[in-house]
Amino acid sequence: MRSVRARLFVGLSVLVVGTNIGFGLLSYRRAAEEATELQDAVLHQVDRFAVQAGGTGLDLTDAQDEPEFRVVIEVLGAVRPGSPLAGVPGDTPDGISTVGKGGARWRLLVRTRPDGKRVGIAQSTASRDERVRDTLLQTLVPLLLLLPCLLLLVGVIIQASFRPLSVLAGRLDARPPDDLRTLPAEGVAVELLPFIDAINRLLGRVGEMVEHRRRFVADAAHELRTPVTALTVQAENLSRLGMPAEALPRLAALQGGIRRLGHLLEQLLSLARYEEGTAAATAGTSLDAAARDVVAAMIPVADERSTDLGFSRIEPADVRADPTSLRVMIRNLLDNALRHTPVGGRIDVEVYAEAGFAVFRATDDGPGIAADEIDRILDPFVRGGHVETEGTGLGLSIVRSVAETCGGSVVLANRTDRPHGLVATVRIPAASEARSDSAVIP
């Protein structure tokens, strides 16, 4: 049994049930002893008032009395026929004992009178056993009725005791992956403090590791910009020289590789900056204006690929965000869509306000994302299964970093109205200011 909660419940239940059983046995034993003492006292009283007065051969039972209350007085050795004491030896020693007769049990007191006669006084043990059963039932019935309540109370107490662990686990699960704040220790049970302290130390170490990685990536990308720029200049100088025709394809490949490397460095610097969250938010930044600027700038690229890039819906939508960050986010989303949309495809852009959020949505005709990759496609350097297109695997990570810096979120989903295609939706909390200009573009 691996569950601590189950072990506690079973252990406490066994303890409660065992205690009740022990108490019942103890009560039964005590009740039997008291009933036996009471019956012996009755026999002694009968001996004192009847036998010593000379009465023998008596059957002290009223016609209306229960048979188990019979008291029989006989002289041993001269017992009447049919008497319960028939067959009791005449030399039975004085004192109290229990004898059996025809399946019944009798409590027998033997006394020797001054005249030398030995008298036996007997009473059935049925009355005594009945009193014991009554006492036992009066004791055990309340316990048996209380037992389910006790077990239920044990379960409730255990559940309540473990509730802080469930609450703590829920809070940790609800945190975003980059939330490395320490857990508060106020109001937490003393038993959980070592556990929380260990988690906080772990979060601190993870935070330091993440910060070191971010700084290393940013520093490395910054240091590599200068040599990459020098390589770009040298490649351009080579292109101006008279080179053999067979060398031109190699030069073009070299220049393409340098451009991709430069783009990768810029993306790494952008990712480090937005992960740090240092971009200054501006009140009332127009998301629709930023989208117009980026779409206009990317129209020539879309035309080269015969891709229909444009707005299907655009409405006023203001957010509290850095304008440059918004443009970088939109550019990366549209660049990703252009890379994966086939020639002659279509990319629809929507900007609108909804339920207190500003929404940017881009819908393309590309291949979409495999179901097993869609949950991690926003992670750095994850490019998905369609690697035939150029890319660094950082664009969507930058989109997520910008959106989360603004308090928003990014959702990628495959299209359901067509066999293929992707819908990228960014939701950012809207600013309080609102404008009235709007348009829906067919």
Side-chain angles (χ1 to χ4, degrees), residues 86 108 118 176 244 270 280 319 340 363 381 384 396 404 439:
L108 174 64
R118 306 189 70 249
S270 298
V319 295
H340 294 89
T363 305
F381 300 106
L396 294 179
E404 291 179 350

Side-chain angles (χ1 to χ4, degrees), residues 124-350:
S124 173
T125 60
S127 61
R128 181 195 67 182
D129 295 339
E130 184 179 0
R131 285 193 295 270
V132 171
R133 287 194 299 269
D134 292 343
T135 303
L136 183 62
L137 288 176
Q138 292 174 4
T139 303
L140 288 184
V141 168
L143 290 178
L144 293 176
L145 294 177
L146 187 61
L147 184 60
C149 298
L150 289 176
L151 295 180
L152 179 61
L153 181 61
V154 168
V156 170
I157 292 175
I158 293 176
Q159 182 71 20
S161 300
F162 279 88
R163 187 179 300 278
L165 276 178
S166 302
V167 172
L168 179 61
R171 289 177 179 175
L172 287 174
D173 288 338
R175 284 189 173 192
D178 57 347
D179 187 355
L180 299 178
R181 293 173 300 167
T182 57
L183 299 173
E186 293 79 8
V188 177
V190 177
E191 292 78 6
L192 292 181
L193 287 178
F195 180 65
I196 291 181
D197 291 340
I199 292 180
N200 287 338
R201 290 193 295 269
L202 176 62
L203 290 174
R205 293 193 296 269
V206 172
E208 292 177 0
M209 181 185 67
V210 171
E211 179 63 19
H212 290 160
R213 179 193 64 81
R214 187 193 62 78
R215 289 182 179 178
F216 171 77
V217 171
D219 293 342
H222 187 272
E223 292 298 325
L224 287 173
R225 293 177 71 183
T226 299
V228 169
T229 301
L231 287 174
T232 302
V233 173
Q234 294 300 328
E236 291 179 354
N237 291 337
L238 283 175
S239 64
R240 297 190 184 98
L241 299 177
M243 299 182 65
E246 61 271 13
L248 294 178
R250 298 181 181 180
L251 177 60
L254 174 63
Q255 291 177 322
I258 294 174
R259 283 195 301 271
R260 288 192 294 273
L261 179 58
H263 180 62
L264 173 61
L265 296 179
E266 293 297 331
Q267 294 283 63
L268 285 173
L269 288 172
S270 298
L271 180 62
R273 182 168 63 253
Y274 295 124
E275 282 185 343
E276 189 178 5
T278 56
T282 303
T285 301
S286 175
L287 178 62
D288 53 301
R292 285 191 181 97
D293 294 342
V294 175
V295 169
M298 302 191 74
I299 287 293
V301 180
D303 290 341
E304 291 179 0
R305 298 178 56 86
S306 300
T307 299
D308 181 9
L309 171 62
F311 290 96
S312 61
R313 178 183 181 185
I314 184 166
E315 299 176 359
D318 293 344
V319 295
R320 297 183 181 277
D322 173 51
T324 303
S325 300
L326 287 181
R327 290 180 174 85
V328 170
M329 178 189 73
I330 296 171
R331 184 180 300 110
N332 278 281
L333 277 175
L334 295 183
D335 180 70
N336 181 77
L338 283 171
R339 290 177 185 274
H340 294 89
T341 299
V343 175
R346 177 173 176 171
I347 302 175
D348 291 328
V349 179
E350 300 174 71

Side-chain angles (χ1 to χ4, degrees), residues 51-136:
V51 177
Q52 298 301 329
T56 57
L58 300 177
D59 191 340
L60 304 181
T61 304
D62 189 89
Q64 298 179 352
D65 287 340
E66 304 257 345
E68 60 265 19
F69 292 106
R70 289 178 64 190
V71 176
V72 178
I73 305 174
E74 296 282 359
V75 175
L76 299 184
V79 178
R80 294 171 299 163
S83 172
L85 299 184
V88 175
D91 58 351
T92 301
D94 289 359
I96 295 181
S97 60
T98 302
V99 297
K101 175 68 175 179
R105 293 174 61 83
W106 292 76
R107 190 70 173 168
L108 174 64
L109 170 63
V110 178
R111 288 288 191 182
T112 301
R113 293 196 310 186
D115 58 2
K117 292 182 179 181
R118 306 189 70 249
V119 178
I121 307 169
Q123 185 183 33
S124 173
T125 60
S127 61
R128 181 195 67 182
D129 295 339
E130 184 179 0
R131 285 193 295 270
V132 171
R133 287 194 299 269
D134 292 343
T135 303
L136 183 62

Side-chain angles (χ1 to χ4, degrees), residues 13 17 23-24 50 114 116 121 255 263 290 320 372 409:
S13 299
V17 174
F23 184 75
I121 307 169
Q255 291 177 322
H263 180 62
R320 297 183 181 277
D372 58 343
S409 61

